[in-house]
Amino acid sequence: MPNNFINFDQLSQNDLQGIIDRAISLKKEHKSGLINETLKNKTLAMIFDKSSTRTRVSFEAGMTQLGGQSLFLSEKDIQLGRGEPITDSAIVISSMVDAIMLRLSSHEDIVEFSKHSSKPVINALSDESHPCQILADLMTYQEYRGSIKGKKIAWIGDGCNVCQTYMQAAAIFDFELSIATPSGYEPSDIFIEKYKKNIIFFENPKDACRDADIIVTDVWTSMGQELEIKQREKAFKGFQVDQKLMDQAKDNALFMHCLPAYRGKEVSTEVIDGKQSVVWSEAENRLHVQKSLLLYLIEG
Ligand code: CP
Ligand code: NVA
C-alpha cells in the first residue's frame, strides 16, 4: 500500500515535523537558486471538482521545480465527471502517474480513490479537511515564532474543513485550540468527540482570542455552500476578526487565513493587511511544504 496524505493525523508527529523541516530547507535552497530535480520524469495527476488558485499553482509549480510534470484534470474534462467509477479511474490513473492529488467535495470519494490507487494520494481539500493547508500554517508559525507546542490558537468563524484539520493538528502537535463559532456552525460531532482533549469551545469570539498566539479564520461560506450565503452572513455577525479581537491576543500574536479572503466579512481590511498578518507567507509556504510532501510520498 502506498503512503497517502488524506487525513492530517495519518502521519506521525515525527514525519509531519520532518516534512515541515525539510520544507524550510527546500525554501532556502529554492531562493538561493539551487536546482533540485529529484522528481525528474515523475508525474503528479491533479484532479479538481472545485476551484483553486493556491493549491493548483503550488502543486504545479512545485512539480516543475522538482524536475517533474503535473497534469491538471478538471473533473468535468475527464470521464470521472461523466460517471466512470472512482475505482476504475483510480486503477487507470495510478498505473500511469507517480502520485495523485484530489480536491473533491466528498472526503469519502478521496478515501475510495486511495483504496484502488497503486500510488500515493493527497487530499487537496474535501468537505471534511484540508491537511496541506495546515502543514503550511504550521511551517509558517515555525518560521516566525518557533515551536507551536503549548501555544494557544484561536479559531474564529465557521467550524469548516480547515477548522477540523486544526483540531487534528492540535492533538498531534499538542497546542491548545480555542474555537468560537456561531451556534449551528460548529465542527462535526465526530471531530468534537475525537479531538476534544486539546480544544475549548467559546460562544464569544472575544473570550476565545484572549492571550492567543495565533488568531485564524476562514470564509463564512465555503465552496459548495453558496446557496446559504445570506443566511450565513446573518449568523456570523460579530465573528469578524477585527483589530478589537486581535487586541485580545498576545502582543506578538499572528493572524492567519488560508485564503481566499473576503475583506469586511470574516476579517477586516486593517487586520488582513496589517502587520500581524502572515497570510502571504502562509500562501507561499503551500509551495515549499507540498514539495516536501511530494518528496516524502514519492521518494518514500
Ligand atoms: N487555501 C487554498 O487552498 O486556496 P485555493 O482554494 O486557492 O487552492
Ligand atoms: N473552507 C474553504 C477553504 C478554501 C481554501 C472552502 O472549503 O471553500
Side-chain angles (χ1 to χ4, degrees), residues 48 51-56 103 124-125 130 133 223 258-260 286:
F48 286 89
S51 310
S52 170
T53 298
R54 280 141 289 268
T55 305
R56 177 177 177 183
R103 171 169 284 194
L125 182 140
H130 195 4
Q133 182 64 53
M223 290 180 275
C258 64
L259 308 179
R286 294 289 303 279

Tab-separated table of all heavy atoms in Angstrom, residues 48 51-56 103 124-125 130 133 223 258-260 286, ligand 1:
chain	number	residue	atom	x	y	z
A	48	PHE	N	-9.494	18.009	-9.859
A	48	PHE	CA	-10.259	19.056	-9.151
A	48	PHE	C	-11.737	19.005	-9.524
A	48	PHE	O	-12.058	19.009	-10.713
A	48	PHE	CB	-9.754	20.448	-9.547
A	48	PHE	CG	-8.422	20.836	-8.962
A	48	PHE	CD1	-7.238	20.532	-9.624
A	48	PHE	CD2	-8.349	21.546	-7.779
A	48	PHE	CE1	-6.005	20.913	-9.085
A	48	PHE	CE2	-7.123	21.931	-7.242
A	48	PHE	CZ	-5.950	21.619	-7.895
A	51	SER	N	-12.939	24.960	-7.530
A	51	SER	CA	-11.951	25.964	-7.939
A	51	SER	C	-10.725	25.941	-7.044
A	51	SER	O	-10.788	25.448	-5.915
A	51	SER	CB	-12.548	27.366	-7.832
A	51	SER	OG	-13.777	27.421	-8.475
A	52	SER	N	-9.646	26.522	-7.546
A	52	SER	CA	-8.438	26.645	-6.736
A	52	SER	C	-7.464	27.618	-7.378
A	52	SER	O	-7.297	27.620	-8.591
A	52	SER	CB	-7.745	25.287	-6.605
A	52	SER	OG	-6.481	25.465	-6.011
A	53	THR	N	-6.831	28.422	-6.556
A	53	THR	CA	-5.696	29.238	-7.011
A	53	THR	C	-4.421	28.676	-6.384
A	53	THR	O	-3.537	28.166	-7.068
A	53	THR	CB	-5.884	30.717	-6.608
A	53	THR	OG1	-7.049	31.202	-7.253
A	53	THR	CG2	-4.685	31.559	-7.020
A	54	ARG	N	-4.341	28.760	-5.043
A	54	ARG	CA	-3.118	28.372	-4.344
A	54	ARG	C	-2.750	26.903	-4.534
A	54	ARG	O	-1.590	26.563	-4.806
A	54	ARG	CB	-3.250	28.639	-2.831
A	54	ARG	CG	-3.022	30.086	-2.457
A	54	ARG	CD	-3.984	30.519	-1.388
A	54	ARG	NE	-5.316	30.610	-1.961
A	54	ARG	CZ	-5.833	31.720	-2.491
A	54	ARG	NH1	-5.160	32.827	-2.432
A	54	ARG	NH2	-7.035	31.734	-3.045
A	55	THR	N	-3.734	26.025	-4.372
A	55	THR	CA	-3.433	24.595	-4.407
A	55	THR	C	-2.947	24.197	-5.800
A	55	THR	O	-1.932	23.510	-5.951
A	55	THR	CB	-4.691	23.801	-3.995
A	55	THR	OG1	-5.095	24.297	-2.721
A	55	THR	CG2	-4.419	22.318	-3.916
A	56	ARG	N	-3.654	24.659	-6.800
A	56	ARG	CA	-3.267	24.299	-8.169
A	56	ARG	C	-1.894	24.853	-8.515
A	56	ARG	O	-1.025	24.130	-9.001
A	56	ARG	CB	-4.315	24.815	-9.158
A	56	ARG	CG	-3.882	24.518	-10.577
A	56	ARG	CD	-4.886	24.932	-11.609
A	56	ARG	NE	-4.339	24.677	-12.942
A	56	ARG	CZ	-4.950	24.986	-14.057
A	56	ARG	NH1	-6.147	25.522	-14.029
A	56	ARG	NH2	-4.376	24.742	-15.221
A	103	ARG	N	-8.856	17.256	-5.201
A	103	ARG	CA	-9.740	18.190	-4.495
A	103	ARG	C	-11.162	17.808	-4.899
A	103	ARG	O	-11.631	18.159	-5.976
A	103	ARG	CB	-9.436	19.643	-4.871
A	103	ARG	CG	-10.484	20.604	-4.319
A	103	ARG	CD	-10.110	22.057	-4.437
A	103	ARG	NE	-9.128	22.429	-3.429
A	103	ARG	CZ	-8.812	23.679	-3.123
A	103	ARG	NH1	-9.383	24.694	-3.762
A	103	ARG	NH2	-7.907	23.940	-2.202
A	124	ALA	N	-6.375	17.344	-1.318
A	124	ALA	CA	-6.099	18.766	-1.557
A	124	ALA	C	-7.307	19.619	-1.202
A	124	ALA	O	-7.474	20.702	-1.744
A	124	ALA	CB	-5.703	18.969	-3.012
A	125	LEU	N	-8.131	19.162	-0.316
A	125	LEU	CA	-9.323	19.785	0.271
A	125	LEU	C	-10.543	18.917	-0.032
A	125	LEU	O	-10.785	18.532	-1.173
A	125	LEU	CB	-9.599	21.207	-0.253
A	125	LEU	CG	-10.804	21.947	0.357
A	125	LEU	CD1	-10.496	23.424	0.599
A	125	LEU	CD2	-12.022	21.826	-0.527
A	130	HIS	N	-8.530	19.815	5.200
A	130	HIS	CA	-7.605	20.453	4.256
A	130	HIS	C	-6.180	20.308	4.814
A	130	HIS	O	-5.562	21.283	5.240
A	130	HIS	CB	-7.992	21.923	4.094
A	130	HIS	CG	-7.378	22.600	2.907
A	130	HIS	ND1	-6.587	21.938	1.983
A	130	HIS	CD2	-7.454	23.900	2.489
A	130	HIS	CE1	-6.196	22.799	1.052
A	130	HIS	NE2	-6.703	23.990	1.340
A	133	GLN	N	-3.107	22.569	3.785
A	133	GLN	CA	-3.143	23.936	4.306
A	133	GLN	C	-2.547	24.009	5.707
A	133	GLN	O	-1.783	24.933	6.024
A	133	GLN	CB	-4.598	24.430	4.335
A	133	GLN	CG	-4.730	25.853	4.827
A	133	GLN	CD	-4.046	26.841	3.898
A	133	GLN	OE1	-4.308	26.846	2.705
A	133	GLN	NE2	-3.157	27.680	4.431
A	223	MET	N	-16.829	26.684	-0.418
A	223	MET	CA	-17.246	26.276	-1.771
A	223	MET	C	-18.324	25.196	-1.662
A	223	MET	O	-18.185	24.260	-0.869
A	223	MET	CB	-16.050	25.731	-2.551
A	223	MET	CG	-15.045	26.805	-2.922
A	223	MET	SD	-13.650	26.129	-3.834
A	223	MET	CE	-12.592	25.567	-2.509
A	258	CYS	N	-6.370	30.948	5.381
A	258	CYS	CA	-5.891	30.111	4.272
A	258	CYS	C	-6.057	30.780	2.915
A	258	CYS	O	-5.384	30.402	1.962
A	258	CYS	CB	-6.600	28.761	4.295
A	258	CYS	SG	-8.391	28.881	4.028
A	259	LEU	N	-6.956	31.767	2.818
A	259	LEU	CA	-7.301	32.455	1.574
A	259	LEU	C	-8.026	31.478	0.634
A	259	LEU	O	-7.714	30.289	0.685
A	259	LEU	CB	-6.070	33.063	0.883
A	259	LEU	CG	-5.173	33.977	1.745
A	259	LEU	CD1	-3.982	34.472	0.903
A	259	LEU	CD2	-5.950	35.178	2.287
A	260	PRO	N	-8.918	31.936	-0.212
A	260	PRO	CA	-9.256	33.332	-0.474
A	260	PRO	C	-10.011	33.963	0.707
A	260	PRO	O	-10.753	33.271	1.399
A	260	PRO	CB	-10.177	33.247	-1.705
A	260	PRO	CG	-10.811	31.905	-1.610
A	260	PRO	CD	-9.763	31.009	-1.005
A	286	ARG	N	2.648	27.042	0.951
A	286	ARG	CA	1.986	25.889	0.336
A	286	ARG	C	2.947	25.244	-0.669
A	286	ARG	O	3.044	24.027	-0.764
A	286	ARG	CB	0.696	26.326	-0.386
A	286	ARG	CG	-0.409	26.852	0.529
A	286	ARG	CD	-1.031	25.751	1.362
A	286	ARG	NE	-1.562	24.676	0.563
A	286	ARG	CZ	-2.759	24.694	-0.048
A	286	ARG	NH1	-3.551	25.726	0.082
A	286	ARG	NH2	-3.179	23.652	-0.759
B	1	CP	N1	-6.101	27.935	0.556
B	1	CP	C1	-6.427	27.263	-0.558
B	1	CP	O1	-6.499	26.020	-0.597
B	1	CP	O2	-6.613	28.066	-1.640
B	1	CP	P1	-7.191	27.632	-3.063
B	1	CP	O3	-8.641	27.286	-2.888
B	1	CP	O4	-6.989	28.846	-3.931
B	1	CP	O5	-6.423	26.457	-3.570
